[in-house]
């Protein structure tokens, strides 16, 4: 069976499961609660939820054995890791993506309505490369590279601006990295990232049937890059695809020396070529300690507390906005 045929069959199976669950469980419940006007939103929310379960299963089945067999450090399963599990459940089971959808859906509808009224059809990638739509796998790969490029810059900017780093530093506060660490983020930082990804996908005309696959592909790579494992792609492979050792240097407690690394290194999500092109690539065989330097007891105490982290991020963001931005 060809890859695209298998992908189409799996997609049809997923849609069928989603439809059955919605018709037999979610929709009757919505009507019973007097929420019939929100059924379309509930249908989209169910999609996020099911995809999250799928991501969790794939991530756990593939990455947990790697961490058990070839751990980078024997760090146990303490409170810090349990907190990351909570973050992952919130993220993967749809809380954040659904929030992004609720925020953006009315805006997109207004924009779409205005464009239609003025007979404006936003150009898509296929308009520039007409033959691309006849090659779904190539089309998917091109969209993946484009979005990965913009994800590199979103990630780099989150380290550059003081107010944004105040939020993003929550992600770096983990000193016991595992594949769960990928989802440790301030909720506002997650919202910004979700809006960034959705808006760019809309702007370059990502087809709906590609959007979900692109999102899952990048998330699974991020899961792997945070995994507590010594498994890597070798000297050449680590320059082609982001792996655990490559990304561990991004989380290093002490940054590499040099002005070009003053905000960090290895910002790439999928392809290290962006770090190479823009001068932020750093590779070394050592396994550095991970985390952020904590300046007071408040920051140390917030390391393993969800609500303390959320509060700390907002307080430090406000302080950064009141002072001179870090550029």
């Amino acid at each position: 069976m060809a890859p695209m045929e298998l992908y189409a069959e799996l997609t049809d199976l997923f849609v069928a499961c989603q439809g059955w669950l919605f018709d037999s469980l979610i929709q009757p419940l919505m009507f019973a609660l007097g929420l019939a006007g929100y059924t379309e939103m509930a249908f989209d929310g169910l999609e996020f939820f099911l995809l999250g379960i799928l991501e969790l299963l794939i991530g756990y089945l593939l990455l947990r054995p790697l961490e058990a067999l070839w751990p980078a450090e024997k760090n146990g399963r303490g409170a810090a890791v349990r907190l990351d599990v909570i973050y992952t459940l919130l993220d993967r089971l749809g809380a954040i993506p659904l929030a992004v959808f609720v925020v953006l859906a009315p805006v997109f509808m207004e924009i779409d309505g205005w464009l239609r009224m003025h007979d404006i059809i936003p150009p898509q990638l296929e308009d520039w490369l007409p033959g691309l739509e006849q090659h779904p796998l190539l089309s998917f790969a091109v969209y993946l590279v484009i979005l990965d490029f913009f994800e590199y810059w979103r990630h780099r900017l989150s380290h550059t601006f003081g107010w944004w780093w105040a939020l993003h530093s929550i992600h770096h506060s983990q000193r016991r990295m595992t594949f769960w660490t990928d989802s440790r983020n301030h909720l506002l930082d997650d919202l910004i990232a979700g809006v960034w990804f959705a808006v760019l996908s809309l702007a370059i005309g990502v087809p709906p049937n590609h959007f979900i696959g692109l999102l899952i592909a990048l998330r699974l790579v991020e899961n792997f890059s945070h995994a507590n494992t010594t498994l890597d792609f070798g000297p050449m492979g680590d320059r082609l695809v982001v792996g655990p050792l490559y990304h561990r240097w991004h989380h290093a407690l002490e940054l590499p020396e040099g002005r070009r690394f003053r905000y960090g290194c290895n910002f790439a999500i999928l392809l290290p070529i962006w770090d190479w092109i823009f001068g932020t690539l750093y590779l070394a065989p050592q396994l550095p300690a991970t985390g952020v330097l904590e300046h007071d007891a408040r920051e140390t105490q917030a390391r393993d507390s969800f609500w303390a982290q959320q509060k700390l991020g907002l307080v430090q963001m406000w302080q950064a906005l009141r002072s001179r931005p870090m550029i």
Side-chain angles (χ1 to χ4, degrees):
M1 182 180 295
M4 289 309 301
E5 292 179 357
L6 177 60
Y7 178 77
E9 288 199 10
L10 292 175
T11 301
D12 291 341
L13 178 61
F14 178 88
V15 172
C17 291
Q18 181 185 4
W20 179 81
L21 282 172
F22 183 79
D23 292 338
S24 60
L25 181 62
I26 304 300
Q27 186 168 251
L29 181 62
M30 298 291 288
F31 277 100
L33 296 174
L35 300 174
Y38 296 92
T39 52
E40 184 176 348
M41 188 179 298
F43 186 81
D44 292 319
L46 178 60
E47 180 180 20
F48 285 127
F49 181 80
L50 293 176
L51 286 170
I53 292 177
L54 185 62
E55 287 182 60
L56 286 171
L57 286 174
I58 294 173
Y60 191 86
L61 292 175
L62 292 180
L63 301 178
R64 186 66 193 104
L66 297 182
E67 293 187 334
L69 294 172
W70 300 286
E73 54 182 346
K74 297 181 179 180
N75 55 18
R77 313 293 297 173
V81 177
R82 288 195 293 271
L83 178 59
D84 285 356
V85 174
I86 293 174
Y87 273 111
T88 301
L89 293 176
L90 282 173
D91 181 34
R92 294 300 193 261
L93 297 185
I96 303 303
L98 186 57
V100 173
F101 175 80
V102 170
V103 170
L104 288 184
V107 179
F108 286 169
M109 289 177 64
E110 288 292 330
I111 294 174
D112 183 65
W114 185 90
L115 291 173
R116 289 177 184 273
M117 285 182 59
H118 292 81
D119 296 322
I120 299 174
I121 302 177
Q124 296 186 342
L125 190 60
E126 284 82 356
D127 297 326
W128 300 97
L129 302 170
L132 198 61
E133 60 184 1
Q134 300 175 15
H135 303 280
L137 284 177
L138 179 60
S139 172
F140 183 89
V142 171
Y143 280 118
L144 187 62
V145 171
I146 293 173
L147 289 172
D148 188 52
F149 168 78
F150 285 108
E151 282 293 285
Y152 166 86
W153 281 106
R154 176 195 61 79
H155 195 185
R156 184 169 174 177
L157 291 174
S158 70
H159 283 247
T160 305
F161 295 105
W163 66 269
W164 203 344
W165 171 247
L167 301 173
H168 187 65
S169 61
I170 299 299
H171 176 67
H172 284 258
S173 64
Q174 178 58 276
R175 297 195 175 195
R176 310 172 81 178
M177 283 180 61
T178 67
F179 73 94
W180 300 103
T181 304
D182 170 43
S183 294
R184 172 187 283 239
N185 291 301
H186 195 281
L187 296 182
L188 182 54
D189 191 26
D190 256 342
L191 188 61
I192 293 171
V195 170
W196 177 286
F197 190 86
V199 168
L200 284 171
S201 297
L202 181 70
I204 65 175
V206 172
N209 62 322
H210 276 350
F211 180 81
I212 298 300
L214 291 166
L215 188 62
I216 291 178
L218 289 172
R219 279 179 164 181
L220 289 176
V221 171
E222 287 187 281
N223 274 146
F224 175 63
S225 66
H226 289 84
N228 173 37
T229 179
T230 56
L231 187 68
D232 59 25
F233 299 117
M236 289 301 297
D238 279 336
R239 287 171 168 78
L240 298 175
V241 180
V242 172
L245 177 59
Y246 186 98
H247 196 68
R248 190 177 182 88
W249 274 105
H250 175 73
H251 280 258
L253 185 61
E254 296 185 8
L255 295 175
E257 295 182 0
R259 179 172 172 78
R260 65 192 176 112
F261 299 129
R262 64 191 182 280
Y263 299 132
C265 64
N266 299 2
F267 297 105
I269 305 299
L270 173 63
L271 303 174
I273 190 173
W274 311 127
D275 283 303
W276 179 71
I277 291 174
F278 299 110
T280 52
L281 175 66
Y282 183 84
L283 287 175
Q286 300 86 359
L287 291 174
T290 60
V292 290
L293 295 175
E294 293 151 350
H295 302 94
D296 53 44
R298 178 187 58 172
E299 294 183 17
T300 303
Q301 293 169 359
R303 189 194 304 164
D304 300 333
S305 170
F306 178 87
W307 292 113
Q309 287 184 352
Q310 298 305 304
K311 178 182 178 181
L312 179 64
L314 293 176
V315 169
Q316 292 186 332
M317 181 183 74
W318 174 247
Q319 292 173 345
L321 288 171
R322 292 185 62 186
S323 61
R324 183 178 179 180
M326 181 182 69
I327 299 178

